[in-house]
Amino acid sequence: MPKFSAVDAISPAFQNCKRLLFQPGRRRFWWRFGLLGLLTGELSSGGGSFNFNVPSGATHHGGKLSMMFDSAALTPTPPDFAKYGVAIFGLFALLMLLGLCFMFVSSVARFTLFENIIGRDVSFGEGWHRNFSRGLAFFGWMLIYSIVMTMTVVIVIGGPLLAAFVSGGFTKGHLSSGAIGAIAWAVLSFLVLMVGSLVLWLLLKDFVVPMMQLENESFEGGFRRVLRAVCEEKGAFAGYIGMKVVLRIGAMFFLGIIIIALLIAFAIPVGIVIYFLVTATKAGTLIWSFGNIVLAVIAGIIVFICFMYAVGVAGSPITAFFPSYSLYFFAGRYPLLEQILFPPPPPPLAPPPEPPFEPAPV
């Protein structure tokens, strides 16, 4: 079959998504794709959120702005972080551990998602046992990838900024020409590194995973093969990346509508519960002891998990479409995948043998 272009692969991807989710008797696949979409990040893949929490040294009290400075020396009074050091370090270590666990589970789930996309009915538990070793290898390389990218950002961006700071470019209430140049270099480098890392991640998860799954190929072997394919068809893969960005923007609008609708649906019962809790608190029938606070926090976490899973289930078409789009684009460039997505027609049935000729009785 001919190789699909970035535009041609859209139609068969939609057909595969329709076959996976919208045919009769496919209800359980919605629940499965909802979980896999959240674990693998396919529901919002390619996007990221950056929360900038800018601490302010100013507080408003009594209609006047207090800057938390020592009135005599006019120097900032640093907060006492020493007694909270153990708790802060423990919280940071816990978050790091949870992040690594999620990355590992996501790596294994990615192979289970691939099997379901190509038509295999694989549950999450079955996929976990079948793809554990592949997911572990993928996780190891993703961990190395994350460390290398972090070190690159620190050296390429942090180095010039630190040099400008040491040389006094950020002092005396103004920026020197060297500091301005360091800031410009940092912004430009950040954009280049961000785009490059996203493109590399796209190639890894979309094209290396099928080779690891179908041929038990090593990560490094699959990566080299994908790079050769990209070098041979630079224009086709560039069009694929551009089209995927356009499709992802459209998907984000669809996902935004889903999130708003579910927020309204969840807000009504949650608001009713909060209203009764506030009323009971004012009446004195409910006392917020430590145990009640813990129960409230646990209930809030459960509600949040249910909300996220509901978003995942409602967004299952997104989870099914984008991997399908990647595979149909890659099929004409990867013969083994092409044989699975476009199996040859079965041979025609042989006609039944004719009964032996018997002369009519005289």
Side-chain angles (χ1 to χ4, degrees):
M1 60 165 287
K3 299 176 181 178
F4 281 147
S5 67
V7 177
D8 296 334
I10 296 177
S11 179
F14 271 120
Q15 294 301 321
N16 191 52
C17 179
K18 179 180 177 181
R19 179 184 62 84
L20 290 172
L21 296 175
F22 293 98
Q23 289 184 356
R26 312 291 289 183
R27 183 179 303 175
R28 71 179 186 278
F29 280 82
W30 285 79
W31 303 106
R32 185 181 303 170
F33 274 84
L35 177 61
L36 292 174
L38 293 176
L39 292 178
T40 61
E42 281 296 332
L43 188 62
S44 59
S45 180
S49 61
F50 299 88
N51 297 321
F52 294 95
N53 297 322
V54 182
S56 174
T59 58
H60 192 271
H61 178 69
K64 297 183 179 180
L65 198 62
S66 172
M67 300 299 295
M68 295 177 64
F69 286 107
D70 185 86
S71 58
L74 293 180
T75 56
T77 302
D80 185 12
F81 288 113
K83 59 181 180 181
Y84 304 111
V86 176
I88 294 174
F89 177 79
L91 179 60
F92 177 77
L94 178 61
L95 292 177
M96 289 291 295
L97 180 61
L98 291 176
L100 290 175
C101 291
F102 181 83
M103 184 186 296
F104 173 65
V105 174
S106 175
S107 299
V108 180
R110 187 164 297 281
F111 291 90
T112 304
L113 176 62
F114 169 79
E115 289 192 281
N116 281 276
I117 292 296
I118 62 176
R120 299 174 182 174
D121 188 356
V122 181
S123 65
F124 181 80
E126 180 184 357
W128 179 267
H129 292 289
R130 290 173 53 173
N131 301 311
F132 184 87
S133 58
R134 299 185 187 94
L136 182 61
F138 192 79
F139 165 74
W141 282 102
M142 288 301 97
L143 186 59
I144 295 174
Y145 168 78
S146 301
I147 294 174
V148 170
M149 287 303 303
T150 302
M151 293 177 61
T152 302
V153 169
V154 171
I155 295 173
V156 175
I157 298 178
L161 290 175
L162 180 61
F165 177 78
V166 172
S167 63
F170 294 97
T171 59
K172 300 179 181 179
H174 68 279
L175 298 177
S176 66
S177 58
I180 295 175
I183 294 174
W185 168 263
V187 172
L188 180 61
S189 301
F190 175 77
L191 293 176
V192 172
L193 289 173
M194 182 179 65
V195 173
S197 64
L198 288 177
V199 170
L200 181 59
W201 166 242
L202 195 69
L203 298 177
L204 293 177
K205 75 181 185 64
D206 287 352
F207 305 133
V208 175
V209 167
M211 294 181 180
M212 295 179 67
Q213 178 70 52
L214 298 179
E215 299 181 65
N216 206 22
E217 175 69 276
S218 64
F219 179 90
E220 56 270 29
F223 182 53
R224 286 194 295 266
R225 291 168 63 181
V226 170
L227 285 184
R228 285 197 298 267
V230 172
C231 293
E232 292 172 0
E233 297 184 75
K234 299 182 182 68
F237 280 90
Y240 164 78
I241 294 173
M243 181 57 67
K244 198 162 187 181
V245 171
V246 174
L247 293 172
R248 179 60 64 179
I249 293 174
M252 287 302 98
F253 280 106
F254 174 70
L255 185 61
I257 295 174
I258 292 175
I259 292 175
I260 292 174
L262 288 175
L263 279 174
I264 296 173
F266 272 75
I268 295 174
V270 171
I272 293 174
V273 172
I274 292 176
Y275 171 78
F276 281 110
L277 290 177
V278 172
T279 303
T281 302
K282 291 182 178 180
T285 57
L286 176 63
I287 299 176
W288 287 101
S289 62
F290 178 78
N292 289 337
I293 293 175
V294 171
L295 290 176
V297 171
I298 294 175
I301 294 175
I302 293 175
V303 170
F304 177 75
I305 293 175
C306 293
F307 171 77
M308 292 302 300
Y309 187 58
V311 172
V313 172
S316 292
I318 298 176
T319 303
F321 170 77
F322 281 97
S324 300
Y325 175 68
S326 303
L327 295 183
Y328 278 99
F329 172 81
F330 196 45
R333 299 161 177 85
Y334 184 28
L336 187 57
L337 180 61
E338 179 181 348
Q339 295 175 11
I340 295 175
L341 296 180
F342 301 96
L349 297 176
E354 297 182 359
F357 175 76
E358 296 181 1
V362 179

